[in-house]
Every structure is written in C-alpha cells, then in structure tokens.
Amino acid sequence: MAKIAAVAAAPLLAAILGTGTANASPSAGHIGAGYTNNPHGVRCAQHNISYWFRTSGSDHHEPAEDSSFGPETKQAIKDFQEEMGLPQDGVLGPQTGNAFMAHGDPAYTGSDMPYRAGGGTSTSYCYTYLPTTW
C-alpha cells in the first residue's frame, strides 16, 4: 500500500517542485526568485546581461556567470530591465527574454543586433531556455 501511495504522490510532487526544464521559448518558464530556475536559463541570462553591460558601455555590475539565481542576478536583471525601459521586477519573463534575444551575445542568441532589427533565432542555444513571445 505504501508503494502505491508513493507512486501516486510522485506526479503531485513533480508539479509542486517543478522539473526545472524548458522545451521551447514560448513555453520556457520565468526565471527569478520563487520560480524553478533551470541552470541553463540562468546562465543564459547572466551571460547576456554581462554581454550587454560590456558592449553597451553600461556602468552596471556584471553578475557572476555561475548558473545560480541569487540576489546579484536579480539586481542585474533589474538593471538590464531599467536600461531597456521595461518594468523592473527582477524576473526574466517574455518581455525581458525578448530583449535578451535581441540585444544579447550573438553566439548565444543568434541575433546580429544592432545591424538588423528583430531578435534572435530559434536555433540558438538560449532560445530553448529563455522565455520569449517568439
């Protein structure tokens, strides 16, 4: 009986804890405090923030690229959102994901901004892990 209860409880536990994976950008989970954060998505966020801050001449602090979401990454997301004119909630949702894909490291996003208007490509590494509306 205990074995049956454990098997029955497994899907519920997975739903509560989350799986931490994302399969496609329109369905990729938000990244931030209170969310199940996929380390690949966090790394994409950290790398693209650092890339933007370095190449745009920003004076904001670059977060450590350690695949772990913490206060430093949250603040860096807020700083990036401020520079992009987005609501500064420190959560990487679809609007912030669109900005990362459009202005992030071309090696990670497939974007060739600022030379072409638009965003990254669905074949890029970060597309799978960052929420966007594309």
Side-chain angles (χ1 to χ4, degrees), residues 4 10 41:
I4 293 171

Side-chain angles (χ1 to χ4, degrees), residues 5-58:
V7 170
L12 176 62
L13 185 59
I16 293 169
L17 296 177
T19 61
T21 61
N23 296 322
S25 86
S27 63
H30 286 55
I31 297 170
Y35 293 94
T36 301
N37 294 306
N38 182 304
H40 297 285
V42 175
R43 173 83 163 84
C44 281
Q46 293 166 335
H47 181 78
N48 285 302
I49 290 169
S50 293
Y51 176 86
W52 172 255
F53 288 169
R54 246 187 341 272
T55 60
S56 71
S58 173

Side-chain angles (χ1 to χ4, degrees), residues 24-27 94 97-103 109 118-122 127 131-134:
S25 86
S27 63
N98 287 349
F100 279 151
M101 292 298 288
H103 301 287
T109 65
T121 65
S122 62
Y127 177 84
T132 70
T133 59
W134 304 333

